[in-house]
Amino acid sequence: AACKQLDGWSAPHCHEDDKLGNPMKKKVLIVDDDSDVVTALLDRLAMVGYETLTAGDGIAALQILEQIRPDLMLLDLEMPHMNGFEVLKWLARKRGDGDSAYAIPVIIITAYVTTEQAAAAIRAGIVGFVGKPFAWQQLITVLQEAITPPSCLVPAAPPNEP
């Protein structure tokens, strides 16, 4: 894997290479029933170098997860058919059965969350929350921190000591 300093606006540069030696893009699964949110996320994440997959509800997300392992999932909580909490429970069951392939970092993207919901999501193992409407820099920062292996993060220069 090759590592380069992150600039805050591009996809993580610590990557595996494909068979031809080209860097492989990180895959992000976007799970949200709001097509405007999905479109905005698709555009922004493509601009900064991520490959994206989308699902309009939890059931569609599970179908994708049975076939493809994204590097990270952006997950809305309130969706029809199967909500975000049910997706988190499904992932936890898979991991509990010993299937580490389902240890996918999850960032909750939501406009409404109660303290109880936030606590439940944290207990379910999420790596972050980002509120809607998005502050794009915050979203990209949280996403990069969650998706980049710690060994590839280049720390900022240490503060000046007195």
Side-chain angles (χ1 to χ4, degrees):
C3 298
K4 297 180 185 172
Q5 188 166 0
L6 300 178
D7 64 11
W9 282 102
S10 59
H13 296 290
C14 184
H15 55 77
E16 295 180 15
D17 294 339
D18 66 14
K19 293 178 183 174
L20 300 174
N22 300 311
M24 294 172 58
K25 289 185 176 183
K26 297 287 186 178
K27 290 184 187 87
V28 177
L29 173 57
I30 301 165
V31 186
D32 199 311
D33 62 321
D34 184 329
S35 62
D36 292 335
V37 169
V38 171
T39 299
L41 286 167
L42 285 171
D43 291 345
R44 185 58 60 118
L45 294 179
M47 270 183 7
V48 295
Y50 290 98
E51 181 180 332
T52 53
L53 308 160
T54 64
D57 61 46
I59 293 171
L62 300 189
Q63 292 169 342
I64 290 170
L65 291 169
E66 288 287 354
Q67 304 295 317
I68 299 168
R69 296 297 181 274
D71 297 292
L72 181 127
M73 181 175 6
L74 296 174
L75 179 65
D76 188 18
L77 292 178
E78 299 299 324
M79 297 178 291
H81 311 298
M82 176 183 264
N83 69 35
F85 286 110
E86 292 169 305
V87 172
L88 289 172
K89 288 177 188 173
W90 182 86
L91 285 169
R93 275 195 308 275
K94 288 289 195 177
R95 288 189 308 268
D97 291 341
D99 195 341
S100 63
Y102 290 94
I104 300 162
V106 176
I107 296 171
I108 297 296
I109 53 173
T110 189
Y112 310 102
V113 66
T114 66
T115 303
E116 294 80 19
Q117 288 175 321
I122 290 166
R123 283 192 304 273
I126 65 151
V127 297
F129 269 99
V130 177
K132 295 177 189 174
F134 302 118
W136 289 109
Q137 182 60 49
Q138 177 197 14
L139 175 65
I140 297 300
T141 299
V142 171
L143 193 149
Q144 284 183 337
E145 288 173 357
I147 206 169
T148 305
S151 63
C152 292
L153 291 174
V154 178
N160 293 333
E161 295 184 19

